[in-house]
Amino acid sequence: MQGTNLQGMRVAILATDYFEQVELSEPKKALEEAGARTAIVAPKAGQIQGVNHVEKGDSFPVDLTLQQANPDEFDAVLLPGGALNADALRVQREAQEFVRRIDTAGKPIAVICHGPWLLVSAGLVRGRTLTSYHTIQDDIRNAGGNWVDQEVVRDRNWVSSRSPRDLPAFNRAMIELFAQSRVSARG
């Protein structure tokens, strides 16, 4: 795709155990195919466990712990879903601070399914328009966000989607947002 060269871009993928596997693996693959370097950042070192809905999936190696990761060394963030992953990650102070610093710097954030829970807990959704898995729409609205039921929603430096069925559109919109952020960062 023209204008989607992410060569050298560093993307942090924040996740912990029981993330929805396809919501991490497919965007990660799309980012790497576009030239980005990804790093899985988790609360603990070692491996994190994926799930395929309710079935156990594969384990993925953690590249950096939240304590080791410096948001200033990343150009963007990907937040995959999975209810247990998102619920556990949202209470991690280091994860909240990581996304706050990325957002304050105007760097792009791509989030899918239950992933917005971290943005809610970090106090970032007030006045923002986004989508998510339908079961957390009340959390987004109660935090001052505007929840919409759409395949992909773009709001400034954020792109969001609802579920794995939206992944093709999510991946395209994520790559486009990340590529545009590189151009504006240079300009």
Side-chain angles (χ1 to χ4, degrees):
M1 291 165 45
Q2 186 177 1
T4 57
N5 180 356
L6 303 182
Q7 200 64 43
M9 182 176 230
R10 284 199 33 100
V11 180
I13 303 172
L14 272 56
T16 192
D17 286 323
Y18 308 114
F19 61 91
E20 186 64 42
Q21 184 166 318
V22 71
E23 293 173 358
L24 185 151
S25 63
E26 291 301 309
K28 181 179 190 305
K29 178 181 172 188
L31 288 164
E32 290 171 353
E33 286 176 353
R37 292 180 295 143
T38 64
I40 295 177
V41 179
K44 63 180 177 67
Q47 304 266 324
I48 54 173
Q49 180 64 55
V51 294
N52 298 308
H53 303 292
V54 296
E55 301 296 321
K56 194 173 186 179
D58 299 325
S59 291
F60 286 69
V62 172
D63 297 301
L64 293 167
T65 66
L66 282 164
Q67 287 186 321
Q68 295 169 326
N70 179 351
D72 298 335
E73 295 176 359
F74 290 93
D75 304 302
V77 168
L78 167 64
L79 301 174
L84 295 175
N85 161 65
D87 195 45
L89 201 57
R90 74 183 299 186
V91 298
Q92 298 284 326
R93 294 282 175 221
E94 294 97 344
Q96 292 174 18
E97 184 58 26
F98 196 100
V99 294
R100 275 191 213 106
R101 286 179 57 189
I102 291 288
D103 192 58
T104 299
K107 296 176 184 178
I109 298 174
V111 58
I112 188 166
C113 200
H114 289 81
W117 263 343
L118 177 57
L119 302 175
V120 168
S121 293
L124 296 174
V125 301
R126 180 167 304 284
R128 301 299 294 261
T129 298
L130 65 157
T131 194
S132 68
Y133 196 67
H134 67 92
T135 60
I136 69 167
Q137 64 182 293
D138 290 342
D139 299 310
I140 291 169
R141 288 183 176 130
N142 290 338
N146 176 34
W147 186 87
V148 294
D149 185 14
Q150 294 176 6
E151 184 177 55
V152 174
V153 175
R154 169 100 178 254
D155 182 342
R156 301 191 311 255
N157 61 317
W158 293 5
V159 64
S160 58
S161 283
R162 302 170 297 194
S163 70
R165 74 175 183 270
D166 297 330
L167 277 168
F170 175 72
N171 286 344
R172 282 190 303 275
M174 173 185 62
I175 298 293
E176 181 180 300
L177 171 64
F178 288 13
Q180 288 172 357
S181 77
R182 290 188 62 152
V183 170
S184 51
R186 288 186 201 135

